[in-house]
Amino acid sequence: MDVRTDRLAQLLVTYCIDVKPQDWVLVRADVAGLPLVEHLVEHILRQGGRPTVQLLSDTLDEVVLKHASAEQLAWLSPIDQLLAEQVDARIMVRAAANTRALSGVDPERQRLLQNAQRPVSQAFMQRAAAGTHRWALTVFPCDAYAQEADMSLREYADFVYAATYADQPDPITCSLAVHQR
């Protein structure tokens, strides 16, 4: 286990979204980010929060976009709407397995799906602006992003962890120092 993964999780949970007891926290992550998700859930539970995890997959997105009817693409899941209206906080972890997974999918089909999801995005944005929803977005070191950056996975991981101060013994203190400048 890379201790930096745990430090990043702690930073996200205790500093970035400041989980409080009874907070309902949604963790949405690409499957390749599962090592970070496990640490996030642990830290959310330690803070007294109530985690809900949604795992995403490039290959599942491709299947849906290629095979769903227009009506299915335009459908908005009531679960997504419920989450947008009620979760206290959200952590999103990007860790694509293939950054070009959707390159063979008709952009019009992608637009249909994005339009269907617009009320969810708007609800999250409105709640964040009103101060009733806290959120954070991060990347987790993965092969696809390392390749896009023309780096080895090790180099990319070092880059991500340095950028988030997860390579430091106390990332929260480092983050606070940035805000004090």
XYZ file of all heavy atoms in Angstrom, residues 5-6 9-10 12-13 19 25-29 33-55 91 93:
284
model
N -1.676 7.371 -0.786
C -3.091 7.190 -1.107
C -3.939 7.464 0.125
O -4.970 8.145 0.058
C -3.346 5.765 -1.640
O -2.520 5.549 -2.785
C -4.800 5.557 -2.011
N -3.506 6.969 1.260
C -4.237 7.207 2.502
C -4.199 8.685 2.881
O -5.195 9.245 3.324
C -3.660 6.343 3.631
C -4.512 6.432 4.878
O -5.681 6.011 4.834
O -4.009 6.958 5.905
N -6.670 10.539 0.760
C -8.030 10.278 1.239
C -8.332 11.105 2.488
O -9.400 11.720 2.601
C -8.210 8.792 1.526
N -7.399 11.131 3.407
C -7.598 11.905 4.637
C -7.758 13.391 4.326
O -8.620 14.069 4.890
C -6.439 11.684 5.600
C -6.618 12.415 6.911
C -5.468 12.180 7.872
O -4.395 11.742 7.494
N -5.713 12.495 9.133
N -8.883 14.767 1.532
C -10.178 14.985 0.890
C -11.321 14.961 1.903
O -12.231 15.790 1.849
C -10.411 13.935 -0.196
C -9.543 14.086 -1.440
C -9.539 12.794 -2.248
C -9.992 15.260 -2.289
N -11.275 14.009 2.820
C -12.380 13.813 3.765
C -12.366 14.835 4.892
O -13.402 15.405 5.232
C -12.357 12.370 4.324
C -13.337 12.198 5.478
C -12.658 11.374 3.212
N -15.928 16.278 6.448
C -17.038 15.396 6.809
C -17.347 15.507 8.301
O -16.453 15.448 9.143
C -16.726 13.933 6.432
C -17.794 12.992 6.975
C -16.596 13.787 4.924
N -22.282 11.107 2.382
C -21.203 11.431 1.453
C -21.230 10.473 0.266
O -21.130 9.257 0.436
C -19.825 11.356 2.141
C -18.719 11.757 1.167
C -19.793 12.239 3.387
N -21.366 11.034 -0.921
C -21.316 10.250 -2.153
C -19.881 10.220 -2.662
O -19.254 11.268 -2.811
C -22.227 10.880 -3.218
C -22.155 10.274 -4.622
C -22.590 8.809 -4.611
C -23.006 11.091 -5.592
N -19.381 9.024 -2.914
C -18.071 8.856 -3.540
C -18.332 8.259 -4.918
O -18.807 7.133 -5.017
C -17.148 7.934 -2.712
C -15.814 7.743 -3.421
C -16.951 8.490 -1.310
N -18.073 9.042 -5.958
C -18.226 8.579 -7.350
C -16.833 8.430 -7.920
O -16.072 9.400 -7.940
C -18.997 9.576 -8.198
C -20.452 9.686 -7.819
C -21.218 10.419 -8.859
N -21.346 9.514 -10.006
C -21.810 9.877 -11.184
N -22.170 11.099 -11.413
N -21.895 9.005 -12.165
N -16.520 7.230 -8.395
C -15.150 6.991 -8.835
C -15.101 6.007 -9.988
O -15.918 5.092 -10.074
C -14.320 6.446 -7.678
N -9.877 3.727 -9.684
C -9.618 4.495 -8.470
C -10.011 3.783 -7.194
O -9.975 4.368 -6.111
N -10.369 2.502 -7.294
C -10.833 1.752 -6.123
C -9.862 1.789 -4.941
O -10.313 1.904 -3.795
C -11.171 0.308 -6.505
C -11.837 -0.537 -5.421
C -13.137 0.097 -4.933
C -12.106 -1.943 -5.941
N -8.539 1.719 -5.137
C -7.663 1.803 -3.961
C -7.876 3.093 -3.160
O -7.879 3.054 -1.922
C -6.254 1.746 -4.566
C -6.434 0.977 -5.842
C -7.775 1.429 -6.365
N -8.098 4.209 -3.829
C -8.377 5.455 -3.120
C -9.766 5.415 -2.491
O -9.952 5.870 -1.353
C -8.240 6.656 -4.057
C -8.576 8.027 -3.464
C -7.725 8.335 -2.235
C -8.414 9.110 -4.524
N -10.734 4.856 -3.192
C -12.101 4.775 -2.673
C -12.130 4.018 -1.347
O -12.812 4.433 -0.393
C -13.048 4.107 -3.698
C -14.419 3.826 -3.087
C -13.182 4.978 -4.935
N -11.395 2.939 -1.255
C -11.361 2.165 -0.007
C -10.887 3.028 1.151
O -11.467 2.995 2.246
C -10.469 0.941 -0.180
C -11.052 -0.079 -1.133
C -10.064 -1.152 -1.563
O -8.847 -1.031 -1.264
O -10.508 -2.122 -2.208
N -9.862 3.835 0.919
C -9.367 4.731 1.975
C -10.355 5.855 2.264
O -10.521 6.256 3.430
C -7.997 5.300 1.583
C -6.901 4.296 1.615
N -6.226 3.957 2.770
C -6.366 3.532 0.634
C -5.313 3.044 2.493
N -5.388 2.763 1.195
N -11.004 6.364 1.233
C -12.016 7.400 1.438
C -13.134 6.900 2.337
O -13.529 7.586 3.289
C -12.596 7.863 0.098
C -11.693 8.712 -0.786
C -12.273 8.827 -2.186
C -11.465 10.083 -0.168
N -13.638 5.712 2.037
C -14.733 5.151 2.838
C -14.286 4.980 4.291
O -15.028 5.320 5.229
C -15.228 3.821 2.227
C -16.149 3.080 3.189
C -15.936 4.084 0.899
N -13.081 4.503 4.482
C -12.564 4.327 5.844
C -12.535 5.668 6.592
O -12.989 5.766 7.741
C -11.167 3.720 5.797
C -10.553 3.486 7.157
C -9.167 2.879 7.081
O -8.803 2.285 6.044
O -8.440 2.991 8.094
N -12.024 6.710 5.950
C -11.938 8.015 6.614
C -13.316 8.643 6.819
O -13.549 9.293 7.846
C -11.012 8.954 5.839
C -9.564 8.638 6.043
N -8.871 8.989 7.179
C -8.691 7.961 5.261
C -7.622 8.565 7.085
N -7.491 7.932 5.924
N -14.226 8.451 5.875
C -15.597 8.957 6.050
C -16.228 8.302 7.270
O -16.847 8.979 8.105
C -16.441 8.709 4.776
C -15.940 9.585 3.626
C -17.930 8.961 5.050
C -16.470 9.175 2.255
N -16.063 6.996 7.392
C -16.623 6.283 8.544
C -15.986 6.745 9.846
O -16.680 6.920 10.859
C -16.453 4.772 8.359
C -17.291 4.158 7.234
C -16.850 2.725 6.962
C -18.775 4.221 7.563
N -14.685 6.958 9.841
C -13.998 7.450 11.054
C -14.520 8.813 11.490
O -14.528 9.126 12.671
C -12.500 7.550 10.805
C -11.792 6.227 10.795
C -10.312 6.439 10.631
N -9.616 5.178 10.525
C -8.340 5.067 10.221
N -7.616 6.157 10.005
N -7.774 3.887 10.144
N -14.939 9.628 10.528
C -15.465 10.956 10.832
C -16.938 10.905 11.235
O -17.521 11.926 11.557
C -15.306 11.884 9.626
C -13.878 12.205 9.246
C -13.156 12.986 10.321
O -12.219 12.489 10.928
N -13.596 14.192 10.589
N -17.547 9.724 11.174
C -18.955 9.590 11.527
C -19.901 9.786 10.355
O -21.113 9.861 10.537
N -19.338 9.853 9.141
C -20.165 10.046 7.955
C -20.790 8.750 7.473
O -20.486 7.663 7.971
N -21.651 8.896 6.499
C -22.389 7.770 5.918
C -22.075 7.716 4.420
O -22.693 8.428 3.627
C -23.877 7.959 6.144
C -24.241 8.005 7.615
C -25.669 8.373 7.796
N -26.043 8.290 9.204
C -27.113 8.820 9.724
N -27.944 9.499 8.949
N -27.388 8.699 10.996
N -21.137 6.854 4.031
C -20.730 6.823 2.624
C -21.669 6.024 1.727
O -22.239 5.018 2.130
C -19.357 6.152 2.675
C -19.417 5.270 3.886
C -20.313 5.986 4.872
N -21.811 6.516 0.511
C -22.452 5.795 -0.583
C -21.445 5.818 -1.727
O -20.900 6.875 -2.048
C -23.761 6.476 -1.024
O -24.704 6.382 0.041
C -24.337 5.816 -2.271
N -21.191 4.672 -2.332
C -20.182 4.571 -3.385
C -20.841 4.230 -4.711
O -21.677 3.330 -4.782
C -19.118 3.506 -3.030
C -18.128 3.325 -4.175
C -18.400 3.874 -1.735
N -20.461 4.960 -5.760
C -20.852 4.649 -7.131
C -19.567 4.472 -7.931
O -18.758 5.396 -8.008
C -21.668 5.779 -7.757
C -23.063 5.915 -7.253
C -23.819 7.003 -8.016
O -23.240 7.955 -8.514
N -25.129 6.843 -8.101
N -19.398 3.279 -8.503
C -18.226 3.018 -9.339
C -18.609 3.168 -10.806
O -19.663 2.698 -11.233
C -17.673 1.624 -9.070
C -17.077 1.418 -7.680
C -16.609 -0.025 -7.506
C -15.924 2.375 -7.425
N -17.414 13.337 -3.267
C -16.023 13.258 -3.709
C -16.018 12.476 -5.014
O -16.546 11.369 -5.081
C -15.127 12.546 -2.670
C -15.138 13.295 -1.336
C -13.704 12.417 -3.203
C -14.432 12.561 -0.214
N -13.656 10.850 -8.017
C -12.303 10.358 -8.282
C -12.231 9.957 -9.748
O -12.918 9.033 -10.177
C -11.947 9.153 -7.384
C -10.549 8.650 -7.700
C -12.095 9.505 -5.911
